[in-house]
Amino acid sequence: MQDGVLRESGPAVGVARDRGAAMLVAFVEGLGAGDVRATRARFEQVVRDHLGVAFVRFRECGSNAVISDIDPALAVTKVSSGGRTFALELPRPTRAAQDQTWHALVSTAGQIGAIVAEIERTAGYRVAVATLADRDGNRLHGSSPQVQAVRQQIDRIARTDFTVLIEGESGVGKELVARQIHQWSRRNRGPFVAVNCAAIVESLLEAELFGIEDRTATGVRGRRGKLEQANGGSLFLDEVADLSLAAQAKLLRALQEFSVERVGGHQTKKVDIRIMAATNRSLSALVTKGQFRGDLYYRLNALELKVPPLRARREDILDLAQGCLERHAGPGRPCRMSAAALEALLTYEWPGNVRELERVIERAITLAEGDEIQLNDLPPALNERYSIVQPATEGGESMRAWGSRYARLVLERCDNNKRKACRVLDISYHTLQAYLRYTPHLRGAQKALPAPEAGAAAAGDEEPAIQARLAAPVPLVEATLVPE
């Protein structure tokens, strides 16, 4: 397929045409009585049903915009109509599923989308313009197997309206996961409302979540709560474990009935929302300790999604760092990192996860003197493990001399357990023994020593004489290690 036109021939073409025609008929039949606002919703529903995808996004873009390969999880195709260019985005299927029929259906969907855009333009509606910042800002970055597995879960979860519990350490991107679920769901045209449960004052909880009626108290103006604001979309409860037991009871009743009653009001209003909650602590463990209500836990835990920490997906560190560099790139700003700085990023444990990585890169960009970030531009927490290397580089030690010293240091930290030290150093027992036996070569050392006087010690006294010579300050020389 090229430029939306099928070039192949055979039975697959007939099947593709039949399915494409069925898609077009389903779209036309469901338009109803000319409600323009429902046209796009009908289009997205038909495409989701016929292509079996969780979400569809159709936007206008510049004719020269490069919109492909921005998100490896998306399949993007461009459609031109009436001098305008549009982008049709949907989840990328497996390579085996991308057959001739699939490409034909995507092409047909793009053409129907162009019709929808023209209908909206005629009625005075403006098609949303696709921008790189919007498309790249709210997605989970990374290409590691762990992130790919999370994306697959997001795709499956987005097809439903069930409540989702997202667990993960602080800074791993739980809100990004929630936003991506919302964007890939049928609710993507509705609002996404995020609530930081840890920041809500107990006395204001009901007003924040459920709203308050006008003139409930002197000087109080009525307003909608978060649940009403999320009507037709998704409500994200961040750090839900920080709610008090009393607040949990109030929230449970609203989530069970999907209805709210404003503070000072007497009427109950139904809301159509999807609930997504996030926590950096294990709710099941808190339930066991009596610190979280079991009934609320089972209400929130319909679908569970765990986001892995950054140290468990180190393959993504370099991609995330490069992405942060590109976002902050500008005149006079560094655009690359030295090999030592990259190694420091890869070996650090990242207790603050992606959030900490972003702050580290921002700090390094600010402190870097040239166009390359060096090891010393990173925070002390990252380069402190390299402090042992600094004396070696400054003092001119050989690699073998430093390796021997480092091996002894690791052995000491392993309580002189050689097997454990071998595992830490990732070397064989034989190689460790060679490092531990390393000493400067005697013949090389003798060049810096005074010649022995006549009548020197006999052969039996050679060992004390050698030890005395080695005790004197002499320059280090190379020695040969027994290879693995």
Side-chain angles (χ1 to χ4, degrees):
M1 185 181 70
Q2 185 178 4
D3 300 330
V5 180
L6 282 175
R7 303 298 184 189
E8 300 84 350
S9 61
V13 175
V15 174
R17 287 174 179 170
D18 292 342
R19 293 183 59 183
M23 183 191 302
L24 180 58
V25 170
F27 166 70
V28 174
E29 290 179 346
L31 289 181
D35 186 358
V36 177
R37 290 174 295 183
T39 303
R40 177 174 289 266
R42 179 60 188 172
F43 159 69
E44 294 177 352
Q45 181 63 48
V46 168
V47 175
R48 285 199 302 266
D49 293 342
H50 282 74
L51 283 170
V53 293
F55 83 100
V56 175
R57 186 182 300 138
F58 189 80
R59 313 190 195 186
E60 185 175 357
C61 63
S63 58
N64 297 323
V66 179
I67 58 176
S68 60
D69 299 328
I70 295 178
D71 189 340
L74 292 180
V76 185
T77 186
K78 294 174 71 173
V79 181
S80 297
S81 176
R84 305 161 71 193
T85 304
F86 305 94
L88 175 68
E89 304 171 336
L90 59 158
R92 186 183 300 276
T94 61
R95 187 175 298 274
Q98 297 185 44
D99 57 6
Q100 184 178 353
T101 303
W102 185 86
H103 285 290
L105 287 175
V106 172
S107 176
T108 303
Q111 295 168 12
I112 297 175
I115 297 174
V116 172
E118 185 62 23
I119 294 174
E120 292 178 332
R121 186 192 66 80
T122 304
Y125 292 94
R126 183 172 180 270
V127 182
V129 177
T131 62
L132 298 186
D134 181 45
R135 300 183 62 237
D136 193 53
N138 292 325
R139 67 181 180 90
L140 190 64
H141 293 260
S143 57
S144 64
Q146 294 86 346
V147 170
Q148 293 178 12
V150 171
R151 285 202 185 103
Q152 292 174 359
Q153 288 182 284
I154 291 174
D155 185 17
R156 291 192 292 268
I157 291 173
R159 300 169 187 262
T160 71
D161 258 353
F162 300 138
T163 303
V164 186
L165 177 62
I166 305 171
E167 292 187 345
E169 296 180 5
S170 178
V172 296
K174 297 187 291 295
E175 184 170 347
L176 284 179
V177 170
R179 289 184 180 274
Q180 195 161 341
I181 292 174
H182 173 75
Q183 290 179 354
W184 287 18
S185 71
R186 68 176 182 85
R187 296 177 175 270
N188 58 0
R189 295 179 63 83
F192 178 88
V193 179
V195 180
N196 185 358
C197 297
I200 299 180
V201 181
E202 181 74 21
S203 58
L204 301 178
L205 175 72
E206 290 186 83
E208 283 291 322
L209 293 180
F210 311 133
I212 187 170
E213 289 290 353
D214 195 19
R215 298 179 181 178
T216 300
T218 303
V220 174
R221 300 182 60 182
R223 67 176 186 273
R224 296 184 304 162
K226 299 297 185 182
L227 276 79
E228 283 190 69
Q229 294 176 25
N231 191 32
S234 304
L235 178 67
F236 176 60
L237 302 172
D238 194 14
E239 303 304 343
V240 68
D242 292 334
L243 287 174
S244 65
L245 292 176
Q248 294 172 28
K250 297 174 183 177
L251 178 63
L252 175 63
R253 181 175 180 83
L255 299 186
Q256 283 179 335
E257 301 178 359
F258 284 101
S259 61
V260 294
E261 182 179 325
R262 293 184 181 182
V263 176
H266 304 285
Q267 295 182 344
T268 300
K269 181 178 180 180
K270 288 286 185 179
V271 290
D272 175 25
I273 58 176
R274 178 181 194 161
I275 302 297
M276 289 184 281
T279 176
N280 59 7
R281 293 184 287 171
S282 173
L283 290 189
S284 59
L286 295 178
V287 170
T288 304
K289 297 177 181 179
Q291 298 175 359
F292 198 86
R293 292 180 63 99
D295 46 6
L296 180 57
Y297 168 69
Y298 295 119
R299 179 68 183 81
L300 296 175
N301 196 31
L303 295 172
E304 186 178 21
L305 195 157
K306 294 186 178 181
V307 184
L310 188 55
R311 61 181 175 275
R313 49 185 182 102
R314 295 185 184 273
E315 302 96 314
D316 299 330
I317 292 177
L318 298 186
D319 291 340
L320 290 166
Q322 184 61 35
C324 190
L325 281 175
E326 292 175 356
R327 286 196 299 274
H328 296 284
R333 294 285 182 90
C335 58
R336 63 179 183 273
M337 303 186 70
S338 66
L342 289 175
E343 184 182 0
L345 296 183
L346 290 172
T347 56
Y348 185 57
E349 290 300 313
W350 298 109
N353 294 290
V354 180
R355 184 184 295 119
E356 182 183 10
L357 174 62
E358 291 179 352
R359 300 293 86 78
V360 165
I361 298 300
E362 291 172 1
R363 177 187 187 274
I365 289 174
T366 304
L367 298 181
E369 297 181 354
D371 60 353
E372 185 178 73
I373 294 177
Q374 304 295 331
L375 181 63
N376 291 334
D377 298 326
L378 300 179
L382 272 77
N383 59 33
E384 64 181 0
R385 65 173 58 204
Y386 292 89
S387 60
I388 187 176
V389 182
Q390 303 299 331
T393 56
E394 295 170 2
E397 284 186 326
S398 68
M399 184 66 184
R400 291 189 178 95
W402 180 85
S404 175
R405 181 160 56 89
Y406 182 68
R408 296 175 189 277
L409 175 64
V410 172
L411 180 63
E412 180 181 346
R413 293 181 178 178
C414 293
D415 299 325
N416 292 318
N417 186 324
K418 293 183 178 179
R419 297 293 180 187
K420 183 178 179 181
C422 288
R423 290 194 298 270
V424 173
L425 294 169
D426 195 20
I427 60 176
S428 67
Y429 186 84
H430 184 67
T431 303
L432 176 62
Q433 289 289 81
Y435 276 118
L436 297 178
R437 288 196 302 266
Y438 171 81
T439 55
H441 202 286
L442 297 182
R443 284 178 296 182
Q446 286 175 348
K447 296 179 182 179
L449 296 176
E453 298 180 359
D461 297 329
E462 286 183 358
E463 185 66 19
I466 292 174
Q467 295 297 332
R469 291 177 181 178
L470 291 178
V474 295
L476 293 174
V477 295
E478 295 289 346
T480 301
L481 289 177
V482 180
E484 291 191 53

PDB file of all heavy atoms in Angstrom, residues 66-84:
ATOM      1  N   VAL A  66       6.582  15.683  10.544  1.00  0.00           N
ATOM      2  CA  VAL A  66       7.050  14.300  10.655  1.00  0.00           C
ATOM      3  C   VAL A  66       6.380  13.713  11.883  1.00  0.00           C
ATOM      4  O   VAL A  66       6.724  14.044  13.014  1.00  0.00           O
ATOM      5  CB  VAL A  66       8.578  14.235  10.785  1.00  0.00           C
ATOM      6  CG1 VAL A  66       9.035  12.798  10.914  1.00  0.00           C
ATOM      7  CG2 VAL A  66       9.234  14.902   9.584  1.00  0.00           C
ATOM      8  N   ILE A  67       5.416  12.843  11.674  1.00  0.00           N
ATOM      9  CA  ILE A  67       4.620  12.356  12.797  1.00  0.00           C
ATOM     10  C   ILE A  67       4.807  10.867  13.023  1.00  0.00           C
ATOM     11  O   ILE A  67       4.214  10.298  13.917  1.00  0.00           O
ATOM     12  CB  ILE A  67       3.126  12.632  12.557  1.00  0.00           C
ATOM     13  CG1 ILE A  67       2.678  11.971  11.260  1.00  0.00           C
ATOM     14  CG2 ILE A  67       2.847  14.112  12.534  1.00  0.00           C
ATOM     15  CD1 ILE A  67       1.208  12.095  10.981  1.00  0.00           C
ATOM     16  N   SER A  68       5.622  10.213  12.219  1.00  0.00           N
ATOM     17  CA  SER A  68       5.809   8.775  12.371  1.00  0.00           C
ATOM     18  C   SER A  68       6.975   8.500  13.297  1.00  0.00           C
ATOM     19  O   SER A  68       7.897   9.311  13.443  1.00  0.00           O
ATOM     20  CB  SER A  68       6.061   8.124  11.008  1.00  0.00           C
ATOM     21  OG  SER A  68       7.220   8.684  10.414  1.00  0.00           O
ATOM     22  N   ASP A  69       6.939   7.342  13.902  1.00  0.00           N
ATOM     23  CA  ASP A  69       8.018   6.839  14.749  1.00  0.00           C
ATOM     24  C   ASP A  69       8.268   7.706  15.973  1.00  0.00           C
ATOM     25  O   ASP A  69       9.339   7.680  16.558  1.00  0.00           O
ATOM     26  CB  ASP A  69       9.331   6.716  13.961  1.00  0.00           C
ATOM     27  CG  ASP A  69       9.205   5.748  12.802  1.00  0.00           C
ATOM     28  OD1 ASP A  69       8.430   4.780  12.952  1.00  0.00           O
ATOM     29  OD2 ASP A  69       9.852   5.949  11.768  1.00  0.00           O
ATOM     30  N   ILE A  70       7.272   8.518  16.384  1.00  0.00           N
ATOM     31  CA  ILE A  70       7.429   9.286  17.622  1.00  0.00           C
ATOM     32  C   ILE A  70       7.154   8.405  18.821  1.00  0.00           C
ATOM     33  O   ILE A  70       7.844   8.460  19.825  1.00  0.00           O
ATOM     34  CB  ILE A  70       6.481  10.504  17.601  1.00  0.00           C
ATOM     35  CG1 ILE A  70       6.912  11.463  16.482  1.00  0.00           C
ATOM     36  CG2 ILE A  70       6.490  11.223  18.927  1.00  0.00           C
ATOM     37  CD1 ILE A  70       6.035  12.667  16.345  1.00  0.00           C
ATOM     38  N   ASP A  71       6.172   7.585  18.732  1.00  0.00           N
ATOM     39  CA  ASP A  71       5.849   6.631  19.780  1.00  0.00           C
ATOM     40  C   ASP A  71       5.822   5.248  19.142  1.00  0.00           C
ATOM     41  O   ASP A  71       4.980   4.974  18.295  1.00  0.00           O
ATOM     42  CB  ASP A  71       4.492   6.963  20.399  1.00  0.00           C
ATOM     43  CG  ASP A  71       4.209   6.128  21.637  1.00  0.00           C
ATOM     44  OD1 ASP A  71       4.847   5.068  21.786  1.00  0.00           O
ATOM     45  OD2 ASP A  71       3.364   6.532  22.438  1.00  0.00           O
ATOM     46  N   PRO A  72       6.750   4.353  19.539  1.00  0.00           N
ATOM     47  CA  PRO A  72       6.787   3.025  18.914  1.00  0.00           C
ATOM     48  C   PRO A  72       5.527   2.212  19.154  1.00  0.00           C
ATOM     49  O   PRO A  72       5.296   1.218  18.469  1.00  0.00           O
ATOM     50  CB  PRO A  72       8.007   2.367  19.571  1.00  0.00           C
ATOM     51  CG  PRO A  72       8.234   3.129  20.832  1.00  0.00           C
ATOM     52  CD  PRO A  72       7.799   4.518  20.547  1.00  0.00           C
ATOM     53  N   ALA A  73       4.695   2.637  20.130  1.00  0.00           N
ATOM     54  CA  ALA A  73       3.471   1.886  20.399  1.00  0.00           C
ATOM     55  C   ALA A  73       2.320   2.311  19.495  1.00  0.00           C
ATOM     56  O   ALA A  73       1.256   1.706  19.531  1.00  0.00           O
ATOM     57  CB  ALA A  73       3.061   2.057  21.866  1.00  0.00           C
ATOM     58  N   LEU A  74       2.512   3.372  18.669  1.00  0.00           N
ATOM     59  CA  LEU A  74       1.441   3.886  17.835  1.00  0.00           C
ATOM     60  C   LEU A  74       1.706   3.601  16.366  1.00  0.00           C
ATOM     61  O   LEU A  74       2.845   3.627  15.902  1.00  0.00           O
ATOM     62  CB  LEU A  74       1.295   5.403  18.012  1.00  0.00           C
ATOM     63  CG  LEU A  74       0.787   5.907  19.367  1.00  0.00           C
ATOM     64  CD1 LEU A  74       0.711   7.423  19.337  1.00  0.00           C
ATOM     65  CD2 LEU A  74      -0.558   5.310  19.704  1.00  0.00           C
ATOM     66  N   ALA A  75       0.631   3.341  15.639  1.00  0.00           N
ATOM     67  CA  ALA A  75       0.679   3.293  14.189  1.00  0.00           C
ATOM     68  C   ALA A  75       0.061   4.584  13.685  1.00  0.00           C
ATOM     69  O   ALA A  75      -1.039   4.948  14.082  1.00  0.00           O
ATOM     70  CB  ALA A  75      -0.091   2.085  13.668  1.00  0.00           C
ATOM     71  N   VAL A  76       0.775   5.313  12.840  1.00  0.00           N
ATOM     72  CA  VAL A  76       0.349   6.634  12.392  1.00  0.00           C
ATOM     73  C   VAL A  76       0.302   6.642  10.875  1.00  0.00           C
ATOM     74  O   VAL A  76       1.234   6.194  10.216  1.00  0.00           O
ATOM     75  CB  VAL A  76       1.308   7.729  12.895  1.00  0.00           C
ATOM     76  CG1 VAL A  76       0.788   9.109  12.519  1.00  0.00           C
ATOM     77  CG2 VAL A  76       1.509   7.631  14.396  1.00  0.00           C
ATOM     78  N   THR A  77      -0.792   7.145  10.322  1.00  0.00           N
ATOM     79  CA  THR A  77      -0.909   7.305   8.879  1.00  0.00           C
ATOM     80  C   THR A  77      -1.422   8.703   8.579  1.00  0.00           C
ATOM     81  O   THR A  77      -2.199   9.270   9.344  1.00  0.00           O
ATOM     82  CB  THR A  77      -1.861   6.243   8.275  1.00  0.00           C
ATOM     83  OG1 THR A  77      -1.846   6.355   6.856  1.00  0.00           O
ATOM     84  CG2 THR A  77      -3.275   6.409   8.785  1.00  0.00           C
ATOM     85  N   LYS A  78      -0.950   9.273   7.460  1.00  0.00           N
ATOM     86  CA  LYS A  78      -1.339  10.627   7.070  1.00  0.00           C
ATOM     87  C   LYS A  78      -2.360  10.576   5.932  1.00  0.00           C
ATOM     88  O   LYS A  78      -2.255   9.747   5.032  1.00  0.00           O
ATOM     89  CB  LYS A  78      -0.112  11.425   6.638  1.00  0.00           C
ATOM     90  CG  LYS A  78       0.878  11.684   7.762  1.00  0.00           C
ATOM     91  CD  LYS A  78       2.145  12.339   7.254  1.00  0.00           C
ATOM     92  CE  LYS A  78       1.898  13.760   6.844  1.00  0.00           C
ATOM     93  NZ  LYS A  78       3.153  14.478   6.495  1.00  0.00           N
ATOM     94  N   VAL A  79      -3.340  11.477   6.000  1.00  0.00           N
ATOM     95  CA  VAL A  79      -4.393  11.564   4.995  1.00  0.00           C
ATOM     96  C   VAL A  79      -4.497  13.015   4.554  1.00  0.00           C
ATOM     97  O   VAL A  79      -4.531  13.920   5.403  1.00  0.00           O
ATOM     98  CB  VAL A  79      -5.748  11.082   5.559  1.00  0.00           C
ATOM     99  CG1 VAL A  79      -6.821  11.164   4.482  1.00  0.00           C
ATOM    100  CG2 VAL A  79      -5.637   9.660   6.090  1.00  0.00           C
ATOM    101  N   SER A  80      -4.548  13.256   3.249  1.00  0.00           N
ATOM    102  CA  SER A  80      -4.679  14.605   2.713  1.00  0.00           C
ATOM    103  C   SER A  80      -6.048  14.761   2.071  1.00  0.00           C
ATOM    104  O   SER A  80      -6.507  13.872   1.335  1.00  0.00           O
ATOM    105  CB  SER A  80      -3.580  14.889   1.680  1.00  0.00           C
ATOM    106  OG  SER A  80      -2.305  14.837   2.284  1.00  0.00           O
ATOM    107  N   SER A  81      -6.681  15.891   2.367  1.00  0.00           N
ATOM    108  CA  SER A  81      -7.998  16.147   1.814  1.00  0.00           C
ATOM    109  C   SER A  81      -8.251  17.644   1.796  1.00  0.00           C
ATOM    110  O   SER A  81      -8.103  18.310   2.836  1.00  0.00           O
ATOM    111  CB  SER A  81      -9.086  15.441   2.634  1.00  0.00           C
ATOM    112  OG  SER A  81     -10.380  15.768   2.161  1.00  0.00           O
ATOM    113  N   GLY A  82      -8.607  18.188   0.608  1.00  0.00           N
ATOM    114  CA  GLY A  82      -8.940  19.597   0.507  1.00  0.00           C
ATOM    115  C   GLY A  82      -7.827  20.524   0.927  1.00  0.00           C
ATOM    116  O   GLY A  82      -8.084  21.576   1.518  1.00  0.00           O
ATOM    117  N   GLY A  83      -6.577  20.148   0.624  1.00  0.00           N
ATOM    118  CA  GLY A  83      -5.444  20.976   1.001  1.00  0.00           C
ATOM    119  C   GLY A  83      -5.060  20.887   2.455  1.00  0.00           C
ATOM    120  O   GLY A  83      -4.183  21.629   2.909  1.00  0.00           O
ATOM    121  N   ARG A  84      -5.673  20.010   3.204  1.00  0.00           N
ATOM    122  CA  ARG A  84      -5.361  19.822   4.623  1.00  0.00           C
ATOM    123  C   ARG A  84      -4.795  18.420   4.823  1.00  0.00           C
ATOM    124  O   ARG A  84      -5.130  17.489   4.097  1.00  0.00           O
ATOM    125  CB  ARG A  84      -6.608  20.020   5.483  1.00  0.00           C
ATOM    126  CG  ARG A  84      -7.295  21.364   5.261  1.00  0.00           C
ATOM    127  CD  ARG A  84      -8.727  21.330   5.746  1.00  0.00           C
ATOM    128  NE  ARG A  84      -8.831  21.284   7.189  1.00  0.00           N
ATOM    129  CZ  ARG A  84      -9.956  20.990   7.845  1.00  0.00           C
ATOM    130  NH1 ARG A  84     -11.054  20.679   7.163  1.00  0.00           N
ATOM    131  NH2 ARG A  84      -9.980  20.996   9.146  1.00  0.00           N
TER     132      ARG A  84
END
